[in-house]
Amino acid sequence: MEYPVARRDESVVDDYHGVCVSDPYRWLEDPDSEETQEFVGKQVNLTQSLLQTCETREKLKEQITKSFDHPRYNTPFKKGDKYFYFHNTGLQPQNVFYVQDSLDAEAEVLIDPNGLSEDGTVALKFAGVSEDAKYVAYGLSSNGSDWVSIKVMRIEDKFHEPHTLSWVKFGCITWTHDNKGFFYSRYPAPKQGDQLDAGTKTNLNLNQGLYYHFLGTEQSEDVLCWKDPENPMYRFEAQVMDDGKHVLLYIEESCDPVNKLYYCDLSTLNGLEGFKNSTDMLPFVKLVDNFDASYKAVANDATQFTFLTNKDAPMYKLIRVDLKEPSVWTNVIEESEKDVLEDAYVVNGNQILVSYLSDAKNVLQIRELKTGGLLHQLPIEIGTVWGVSGRRRDSEVFIKFTSFLTPGIIYRCNLAVEAPEMKIFRKTVVSGFDHTEFQVNQAFVPSKDGTSKIPLFIVSKKNIILDGSHPCLLYGYGGFNSSLTPTFNVSRAILTRHLGAVFCVANIRGGGEYGKEWHKAGSLAKKQNCFDDFISAAEYLVSAGYTQSKKLCIEGASNGGLLVAACVNQRPDLFGCALARVGVMDMLRFHKFTIGHAWISDFGCSDKEEEFQWLIKYSPLHNVRRPWEQHQDAKHQYPPTMLLTADHDDRVVPLHSLKLLATMQYILCTSLENSPQTNPIIVRIESKAGHGCGRPIQKTIDEAADQYSFMAKMLGASWIN
């Protein structure tokens, strides 16, 4: 391939604690410069020219489109005496928000974002309904950006309040029970104001504040409830409890599962109106004022509060405290030795629905709120609880379930009977998909350091012959305490059916599959464990006969994009293809852009000498090598690699992928007259899209068809009817 030659500015050199590190593509950090846009344009043309040669591209696009064309529902929830839910008829660009007076009543469209843009790039990010179900405050984002604008609508006649709340990012809406308004979090407005296309900017996100908005008022009149200018990286979120009296303030500094916890008794105030023109913030009382653990409120009875926490409990537990005696905390549900207590919901008066994670699969139980005693084990299959909806005052609860072979089932569970029944309320059916054609196995792969067994889900056609002949897609993440659990994916089901591919998910360290210790074993100084675990999973798939190196593709997104790029640098011989989506690739400068500073808790920071030494060893941008020089063998080269990013990704900004692309193309492809690197190194750049959320269905389909047809071509996989 003939690659565009990107200018190298050898004068850009940074001194990290006495170590000089060049950054010749620093100019790519400016997304608005003509030079960057010219570079992007040439790379887009190069990628399109290659994709046009991928034989399966149109077949994949056609089949994925057909399979996406089915009704999808989210878990319904109740406010006042009405039910609300999100729904997509199939190929609508964005999900639509519905309301109905009862489960048997005709549903009515409440908010349809599909009419707000011609190309479907305006997304409805969230909807917060007031307690009396008379108003809904909802957030819209454009072009996939994390930035949200909040609007308020009266439900009865769909009248919109004239005011819009801007510069909202990372947070949610929580209404007070007097239905006068709601709490939300936002950042200061930038100087550029409304003329700014915020989704393309890389400025740090600092000085968030918690505000209260009164219905019918301008944003400038909102009450500032809490801020902390001495700690500009703090983020705030409020939660109004079921009693309507107490509002909790969660304070986070990073992506680590830890938070401070304050509370305010609203009943002691003479309404929030008194704070409208005041310089005083709400009188929050500090219950937990350090970042030593995570605390999430489940329920309260007067001043007695029940929390889900990892305080002295890496696998999490349920604890209780009386605000009148804040130094006395008692255990309600003890920590499990093996399973992670993922979530808890108070339902049916004094019961708790708890969700455990057992070897990366969910288990559901009903327990007593007061004692934590087990009442019922709910019968769900091996898979993932994707959503739970229920109220303490109601005996019904809705549970959404999915798995690798189950597109989606919403159960309606009646807890008022002696033996709770899980009745199917809605079931997703994907045209042409027959789960009986496939099988799911789970292997446990020894880690390189011998300390752990890495769970590995393997999805394949039934009666597969383990002769190493199958194309294989291995997916991983391994970071930020996030767990990968069995979920249905239309595109990957098609790969298994029509390309004969084996699809695998590796639950490597750094995730939350086995609690806090599993997370910490793959972060900071131990980040290399993530890459070692992923490589071990890949080696197992080859040794067990599922595939061979030249037929093995690895994929990951965000932190998983970092995973893929680092593994390609470290073991280019092990993979036949690599798909690295929206990855964090410059580990020395990630903290300088948008919300990157929050990731220091997982990665460390190059500003500190010890942490710089961790990062420089695996940073994808700084570890691109010529494998043929190390092995003295021209056969050794990097696998075909596609980096994927989007022009409005304001979480992991595009500069990460662009700088890595320029570096790989230079070192591997263009700096030598007769480079042994014949495998392509390309980038796919989506326009008017962000990190992933809010992407229209058509863009999702197009991206899947592009990346998987590239994979198919590189692995030599042919279409099976």
Side-chain angles (χ1 to χ4, degrees):
M1 295 187 68
E2 187 173 341
Y3 295 95
V5 178
R7 176 176 64 88
R8 288 177 62 84
D9 186 351
E10 304 289 355
S11 68
V12 181
V13 179
D14 296 309
D15 186 332
Y16 291 95
H17 319 287
V19 179
C20 291
V21 180
S22 64
D23 193 3
Y25 301 112
R26 179 75 56 86
W27 54 270
L28 282 168
E29 292 181 0
D30 181 1
D32 297 323
S33 75
E34 288 186 12
E35 191 173 18
T36 297
Q37 292 177 3
E38 182 183 1
F39 174 81
V40 166
K42 290 179 179 179
Q43 296 292 342
V44 167
N45 292 336
L46 176 69
T47 299
Q48 284 302 317
S49 67
L50 177 59
L51 289 175
Q52 287 170 6
T53 69
C54 295
E55 297 84 359
T56 61
R57 187 186 187 193
E58 290 307 314
K59 289 183 179 178
L60 275 170
K61 186 173 180 179
E62 179 185 357
Q63 195 60 49
I64 293 171
T65 301
K66 286 181 180 178
S67 296
F68 254 112
D69 193 6
H70 63 268
R72 295 181 295 281
Y73 294 86
N74 282 8
T75 315
F77 65 91
K78 198 172 185 180
K79 284 287 185 178
D81 57 358
K82 298 180 185 294
Y83 290 88
F84 300 85
Y85 63 92
F86 287 90
H87 169 51
N88 193 304
T89 57
L91 295 177
Q92 289 177 287
Q94 303 289 345
N95 293 343
V96 179
F97 192 51
Y98 287 80
V99 61
Q100 54 189 154
D101 292 331
S102 70
L103 293 177
D104 298 322
E106 184 177 351
E108 179 184 359
V109 172
L110 199 55
I111 304 168
D112 183 356
N114 295 300
L116 301 179
S117 61
E118 292 184 1
D119 54 6
T121 54
V122 173
L124 178 57
K125 293 292 284 285
F126 54 76
V129 180
S130 62
E131 288 298 307
D132 60 4
K134 291 185 177 180
Y135 289 90
V136 56
Y138 61 95
L140 298 175
S141 73
S142 297
N143 303 320
S145 170
D146 282 334
W147 289 109
V148 172
S149 297
I150 297 177
K151 298 181 179 293
V152 180
M153 184 176 74
R154 193 164 58 209
I155 292 173
E156 183 179 11
D157 56 5
K158 298 181 183 177
F159 169 79
H160 274 86
E161 298 287 335
H163 314 297
T164 298
L165 310 184
S166 303
W167 306 110
V168 179
K169 199 177 192 183
F170 308 127
C172 65
I173 289 168
T174 181
W175 287 79
T176 47
H177 287 205
D178 59 8
N179 304 299
K180 292 182 178 179
F182 51 86
F183 294 97
Y184 74 104
S185 302
R186 67 172 165 90
Y187 287 93
K191 293 179 181 178
Q192 297 96 323
D194 294 336
Q195 288 73 42
L196 182 65
D197 185 358
T200 64
K201 299 305 173 186
T202 62
N203 311 64
L204 281 174
N205 301 145
L206 300 173
N207 296 302
Q208 191 184 61
L210 178 71
Y211 290 83
Y212 186 84
H213 176 73
F214 286 93
L215 289 177
T217 62
E218 298 274 2
Q219 186 171 21
S220 59
E221 298 178 52
D222 290 351
V223 173
L224 175 61
C225 301
W226 196 260
K227 66 176 180 178
D228 191 343
E230 294 184 5
N231 294 284
M233 295 183 184
Y234 281 9
R235 302 188 309 280
F236 309 105
E237 189 167 320
Q239 178 186 3
V240 177
M241 298 302 295
D242 278 347
D243 64 0
K245 295 181 179 179
H246 293 88
V247 58
L248 302 184
L249 173 63
Y250 297 94
I251 302 175
E252 297 178 341
E253 184 179 30
S254 66
C255 290
D256 218 24
V258 297
N259 60 273
K260 295 184 179 185
L261 181 67
Y262 302 169
Y263 70 90
C264 177
D265 186 348
L266 297 176
S267 67
T268 63
L269 308 178
N270 187 22
L272 291 172
E273 287 87 351
F275 290 87
K276 271 190 174 181
N277 300 310
S278 172
T279 58
D280 294 334
M281 296 186 292
L282 294 194
F284 282 102
V285 179
K286 298 176 180 180
L287 184 60
V288 178
D289 198 28
N290 54 60
F291 291 115
D292 69 337
S294 168
Y295 299 86
K296 178 184 176 183
V298 175
N300 79 297
D301 291 283
T303 57
Q304 283 200 342
F305 277 70
T306 304
F307 293 98
L308 176 66
T309 185
N310 58 9
K311 173 69 172 175
D312 302 321
M315 305 295 274
Y316 290 77
K317 62 183 179 181
L318 231 56
I319 58 175
R320 185 166 294 137
V321 65
D322 194 321
L323 300 183
K324 296 176 181 177
E325 298 182 75
S327 62
V328 181
W329 299 74
T330 58
N331 290 344
V332 179
I333 298 179
E334 300 283 352
E335 179 188 21
S336 167
E337 291 185 5
K338 179 179 178 292
D339 299 336
V340 182
L341 180 54
E342 263 201 328
D343 236 324
Y345 310 84
V346 61
V347 292
N348 194 31
N350 292 307
Q351 295 180 351
I352 320 172
L353 172 62
V354 296
S355 175
Y356 282 96
L357 193 60
S358 178
D359 288 332
K361 307 175 290 286
N362 280 129
V363 175
L364 285 181
Q365 297 175 348
I366 301 293
R367 291 178 174 264
E368 291 182 341
L369 174 60
K370 185 176 182 180
T371 66
L374 178 63
L375 297 174
H376 306 285
Q377 186 105 354
L378 296 183
I380 61 170
E381 299 175 3
I382 294 174
T384 301
V385 174
W386 199 249
V388 173
S389 165
R391 300 189 298 186
R392 187 169 185 174
R393 72 187 79 165
D394 299 327
S395 60
E396 71 176 0
V397 61
F398 295 93
I399 300 165
K400 185 171 183 179
F401 173 84
T402 184
S403 72
F404 290 120
L405 304 182
T406 307
I409 298 175
I410 298 176
Y411 294 100
R412 185 184 183 190
C413 184
N414 180 11
L415 300 177
V417 297
E418 187 173 340
E421 298 175 290
M422 298 275 284
K423 291 187 175 181
I424 294 177
F425 177 65
R426 287 186 175 122
K427 185 174 183 178
T428 300
V429 177
V430 176
S431 176
F433 175 74
D434 181 1
H435 69 91
T436 63
E437 296 179 17
F438 308 98
Q439 62 185 16
V440 180
N441 294 308
Q442 188 177 31
F444 292 87
V445 180
S447 63
K448 180 180 178 181
D449 60 9
T451 65
S452 305
K453 295 281 190 180
I454 312 304
L456 177 65
F457 287 108
I458 304 171
V459 184
S460 66
K461 287 187 175 180
K462 281 188 175 177
N463 305 315
I464 185 174
I465 299 174
L466 301 182
D467 59 359
S469 65
H470 311 286
C472 182
L473 177 63
L474 174 62
Y475 188 88
Y477 186 79
F480 298 97
N481 197 49
S482 295
S483 303
L484 293 182
T485 55
T487 56
F488 185 79
N489 183 289
V490 163
S491 302
R492 291 165 188 155
I494 290 169
L495 298 183
T496 305
R497 184 182 186 195
H498 290 289
L499 294 178
V502 178
F503 170 61
C504 309
V505 173
N507 298 111
I508 62 179
R509 284 174 288 184
E513 287 87 351
Y514 293 103
K516 184 177 179 180
E517 298 305 323
W518 192 257
H519 170 215
K520 293 302 180 184
S523 61
L524 300 174
K526 298 179 180 180
K527 187 65 178 174
Q528 181 60 39
N529 283 338
C530 302
F531 316 134
D532 289 341
D533 289 355
F534 200 56
I535 288 169
S536 293
E539 290 175 331
Y540 169 82
L541 291 168
V542 173
S543 65
Y546 284 98
T547 191
Q548 51 189 296
S549 291
K550 67 180 182 180
K551 288 184 172 291
L552 174 59
C553 177
I554 53 174
E555 180 188 0
S558 196
N559 175 77
L562 156 65
L563 169 72
V564 167
C567 287
V568 164
N569 279 339
Q570 294 180 18
R571 285 295 306 276
D573 60 301
L574 185 56
F575 314 112
C577 187
L579 305 171
R581 292 165 36 210
V582 292
V584 187
M585 306 305 193
D586 184 347
M587 301 310 297
L588 302 187
R589 288 174 59 79
F590 70 85
H591 59 291
K592 297 179 179 291
F593 308 103
T594 63
I595 198 62
H597 56 79
W599 313 333
I600 290 173
S601 57
D602 238 59
F603 298 144
C605 180
S606 61
D607 293 344
K608 298 180 179 179
E609 184 172 4
E610 180 188 11
E611 297 176 9
F612 163 75
Q613 295 297 337
W614 310 337
L615 294 164
I616 193 64
K617 289 177 182 176
Y618 72 81
S619 174
L621 181 64
H622 302 93
N623 286 277
V624 180
R625 303 286 184 266
R626 296 170 179 165
W628 54 86
E629 292 179 353
Q630 297 169 323
H631 296 274
Q632 302 299 313
D633 184 352
K635 291 181 181 179
H636 284 277
Q637 58 174 308
Y638 270 56
T641 300
M642 176 185 281
L643 308 178
L644 297 97
T645 186
D647 64 354
H648 281 71
D649 187 346
D650 48 7
R651 196 176 308 179
V652 181
V653 287
L655 64 89
H656 284 278
S657 295
L658 298 182
K659 289 171 69 175
L660 177 61
L661 175 76
T663 301
M664 293 178 73
Q665 289 181 348
Y666 173 75
I667 293 176
L668 301 173
C669 308
T670 63
S671 59
L672 294 176
E673 192 168 322
N674 294 302
S675 172
Q677 179 69 34
T678 56
N679 291 329
I681 308 292
I682 61 173
V683 67
R684 185 187 189 279
I685 305 171
E686 185 64 79
S687 62
K688 300 186 74 174
H691 199 60
C693 292
R695 184 168 295 193
I697 289 294
Q698 190 59 56
K699 287 186 180 292
T700 300
I701 293 170
D702 291 344
E703 180 182 77
D706 285 355
Q707 68 172 0
Y708 293 134
S709 63
F710 174 77
M711 178 195 82
K713 182 179 179 69
M714 297 304 134
L715 301 186
S718 55
W719 189 262
I720 304 168
N721 288 321

